[in-house]
Amino acid sequence: MSRQIILDTETTGLSAADGDRVIEIGCVELLNRRLTGRNLHLYLNPDRSSHPEALKVHGLSDEFLADKPRFPDVAERLLDYLAGAELIIHNAAFDIGFLDAELERIGRPPLKQHVDGVLDTLLLARETWPGKSASLDALCKRLEVDNSGRQLHGALLDAELLAEVYLRMTRGQDSLVIDALDSAEAGQPAALAAAALELGRVPLIAINVSAEEAAAHEALRAELDKACGGLSKWSAAMA
C-alpha cells in the first residue's frame, strides 16, 4: 500500500539559519492516491515574533500562537505520523530545511531519515511546463483547482490544495486503474471494472494515410515537440 503525505509549513521568516522558526504544520494523507481524511494540523509557539512581511502572508499573530505547544512537545507525534511515508512538498528545500533545524535543536536526525523519500512538486511542475510559473496559485489555475478560499497562506489549506494539484498533475496511466476501482466500488461487477484495464485485448485499426497527411502530421509533431522543449514522449521513443 502506497502512503504519501502532502506537507506544508508556515514560518516566522525565510531563514532557518538565522533563527526563524516553524509556526504551523499541515499534512494531508494519501493511501494509494486517495485522500483518507487522516490529516495532521499543528500550530506552534516559536518563542519569537514573525517578520512583518511573513505576518502579512500567514496572519498568525504572537497572541494567537502564545498558548500553542512548542516543537519539542509535538515532535514525536509528527514523526510517528510521517514515518515511512513519501513526502510531497512544494519547494521542498524550504520546508525540509526548517523542519531539519527544528529536529536538530532537539537532537533528532534529519527528516529524510524518518520518511521514504521526498517529491518536490515545484521541480516536477518546472519539468512539466518549462518556462511557465510553477507557484501553487499558478498550478491551481492551470489545473482548475479552486483556490478561492486562499486569502492568506495556511499550512493545512495549502497542503489540501497541493494534494489536488499533485493528483491532477500525475494522473496519467494509473487513472485507468482508479476509474476501474471507482466503478467496482459504485456497484459495477469487479470483472467488468477489471476488463477496462485489459487494453491489450483491444484490436488496433490501421489507417492508411496519404503522403500529404503524413507530412502534415510530421509538421504538427515537430511544432508540438518544439513547444514543449523537446520533452515529448514520442521524441524519446523515436530517438
Side-chain angles (χ1 to χ4, degrees):
M1 182 174 291
S2 172
R3 182 170 183 261
Q4 297 168 301
I5 301 295
I6 292 81
L7 181 148
D8 188 61
T9 65
E10 296 298 333
T11 63
T12 61
L14 298 177
S15 176
D18 291 337
D20 283 315
R21 305 292 297 272
V22 176
I23 57 175
E24 186 185 6
I25 302 171
C27 301
V28 172
E29 182 184 62
L30 296 177
L31 285 180
N32 295 331
R33 293 178 57 82
R34 293 171 179 269
L35 295 165
T36 68
R38 182 176 172 263
N39 302 336
L40 180 66
H41 187 205
L42 301 168
Y43 289 110
L44 302 171
N45 182 346
D47 289 315
R48 65 170 294 168
S49 297
S50 292
H51 295 282
E53 292 304 313
L55 184 59
K56 291 178 183 178
V57 171
H58 55 63
L60 300 176
S61 66
D62 293 348
E63 293 75 19
F64 175 79
L65 297 172
D67 63 347
K68 302 303 184 286
R70 291 167 174 81
F71 185 84
D73 301 323
V74 303
E76 288 303 323
R77 180 184 175 192
L78 175 64
L79 293 177
D80 287 346
Y81 176 83
L82 298 178
E86 178 189 29
L87 301 187
I88 299 171
I89 306 174
H90 202 67
N91 191 14
F94 180 86
D95 300 271
I96 295 293
F98 268 92
L99 290 171
D100 281 351
E102 296 287 356
L103 290 169
E104 184 178 7
R105 289 186 182 97
I106 60 173
R108 300 301 299 269
L111 188 59
K112 288 186 178 180
Q113 293 189 28
H114 301 273
V115 300
D116 187 26
V118 177
L119 186 151
D120 190 339
T121 51
L122 177 63
L123 299 181
L124 179 62
R126 287 173 174 171
E127 292 173 358
T128 305
W129 297 287
K132 295 184 179 290
S133 175
S135 69
L136 182 56
D137 282 335
L139 294 177
C140 285
K141 182 177 181 180
R142 189 171 302 137
L143 296 168
E144 299 182 342
V145 173
D146 182 10
N147 65 341
S148 57
R150 195 186 190 221
Q151 304 304 316
L152 292 171
H153 288 216
L156 183 61
L157 172 61
D158 287 359
E160 290 171 340
L161 290 173
L162 182 59
E164 185 62 33
V165 163
Y166 167 74
L167 290 172
R168 296 192 185 197
M169 283 177 67
T170 58
R171 185 162 179 162
Q173 293 180 348
D174 60 347
S175 66
L176 296 172
V177 178
I178 293 171
D179 290 341
L181 291 172
D182 288 342
S183 297
E185 290 179 357
Q188 182 178 340
L192 293 179
L197 306 180
E198 298 179 8
L199 303 181
R201 297 184 179 182
V202 179
L204 298 178
I205 301 175
I207 300 176
N208 294 322
V209 298
S210 67
E212 290 183 356
E213 291 172 328
H217 172 73
E218 285 300 311
L220 176 60
R221 186 181 65 79
E223 289 180 9
L224 291 173
D225 191 48
K226 181 179 180 181
C228 66
L231 297 177
S232 58
K233 291 184 178 180
W234 57 75
S235 293
M238 298 182 67

